[in-house]
């Protein structure tokens, strides 16, 4: 894998969340560009209600919300909202609420490695459409000699580490598949009626998760294998994270109540 800025050659493939105009980082095209400093750097993630997660992040992300697996590939994601296009943990100013774990997938932006199919390699790209990238930005991509700055080298290292974690995550998922530990799951919410009785359950999401029943039926040797390769703590982190569905529901209801109260309150001009 290339870990240096690549020239513009070959065709970049891949459709990646957040990145609308990926371009291979080039001193010829981007020599005067950099990333500007902003108080709310994560505004681009305001509509990200589900964000890819690597297995090494499970234990940190579990305290924030549910970690689930989706699609045929059983991609692990961090659930960050109940509604499409709404990240419930992101404040209007583009910063995250205190104590929220921010996935590495978000933190690497606007950098990303992408496939260069023509040359059979990975190249470092930037999202040229990002509002964070400007001419003369505080964190320049290249120095006066046209060499990558320390900032760019750090970002390259971060993205390279992310790709290695992504592969480790694929191996983790494959291990769970091999042990047949996945099962379809449904997240439901059951509220209260005005008279105090329980309302009808409402389905929040369909997803895949680890079956506790199947996990309990593994042989001692299989459990030791999961323990020794570090998979068992990550499985438990995933299972523990699922209690976070209730937290998301409570946050969504509180947000809706606040919005309704604000909409009904008179404006200062009419008070």
């Amino acid at each position: 894998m290339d870990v240096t800025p690549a020239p513009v050659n070959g065709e970049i493939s891949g459709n990646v969340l957040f990145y609308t105009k990926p371009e291979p980082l080039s001193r010829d095209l981007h020599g005067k560009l950099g990333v500007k400093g902003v108080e709310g750097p994560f505004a681009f993630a305001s509509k990200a209600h589900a964000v890819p997660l690597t297995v090494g992040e499970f234990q940190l992300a579990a305290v924030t919300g549910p970690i689930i697996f989706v699609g045929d590939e059983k991609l692990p994601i961090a659930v960050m909202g109940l509604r499409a296009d709404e990240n419930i943990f992101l404040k209007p100013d583009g910063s995250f609420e205190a104590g929220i774990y921010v996935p590495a997938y978000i933190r690497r932006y606007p950098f990303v490695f992408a496939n260069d199919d023509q040359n059979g390699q990975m190249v470092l790209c930037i999202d040229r459409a990002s509002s964070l990238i400007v001419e003369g930005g505080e964190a320049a991509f290249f120095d006066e000699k046209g060499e990558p700055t320390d900032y760019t080298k750090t970002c390259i290292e971060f993205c390279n580490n992310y790709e290695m974690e992504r592969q480790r995550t694929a191996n983790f998922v494959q291990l769970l598949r091999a042990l047949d530990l996945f099962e379809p799951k449904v997240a439901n919410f059951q509220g209260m009626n005005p008279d105090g009785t329980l309302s009808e359950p409402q389905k929040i999401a369909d997803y895949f998760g680890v079956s506790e029943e199947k996990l309990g039926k593994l042989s001692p040797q299989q459990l030791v294998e999961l323990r020794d390769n570090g998979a068992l703590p990550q499985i438990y982190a995933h299972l523990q994270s699922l209690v976070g569905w209730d937290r998301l529901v409570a946050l969504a209801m509180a947000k809706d109540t606040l919005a309704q109260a604000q909409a009904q309150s008179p404006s200062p001009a009419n008070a």
Side-chain angles (χ1 to χ4, degrees), residues 229-269:
N229 64 22
L232 198 56
Q234 312 301 354
I235 290 173
Y236 288 141
H238 150 66
L239 292 172
Q240 183 63 34
S241 77
L242 299 182
V243 302
W245 285 116
D246 290 340
R247 182 189 180 202
L248 286 182
V249 170
L251 288 172
M253 293 177 65
K255 187 174 182 179
D256 289 347
T257 299
L258 178 60
Q260 292 173 5
Q262 292 174 338
Q264 294 173 0
S265 64
S267 64

Side-chain angles (χ1 to χ4, degrees), residues 61-80:
V63 300
T64 292
I67 299 169
I68 65 176
F69 299 84
V70 298
D72 293 337
E73 296 182 356
K74 306 298 189 295
L75 176 71
I77 64 170
V79 180
M80 308 197 83

Side-chain angles (χ1 to χ4, degrees), residues 22-75:
E23 295 180 356
L25 185 61
S26 162
R27 60 178 56 88
D28 294 330
L29 292 179
H30 312 124
K32 297 182 179 180
L33 300 181
V35 173
K36 66 178 180 179
V38 293
E39 293 184 1
F42 300 117
F44 65 89
S46 62
K47 295 184 178 182
H49 70 288
V51 179
L53 203 65
T54 62
V55 67
E57 301 177 274
F58 277 24
Q59 289 173 299
L60 294 171
V63 300
T64 292
I67 299 169
I68 65 176
F69 299 84
V70 298
D72 293 337
E73 296 182 356
K74 306 298 189 295
L75 176 71

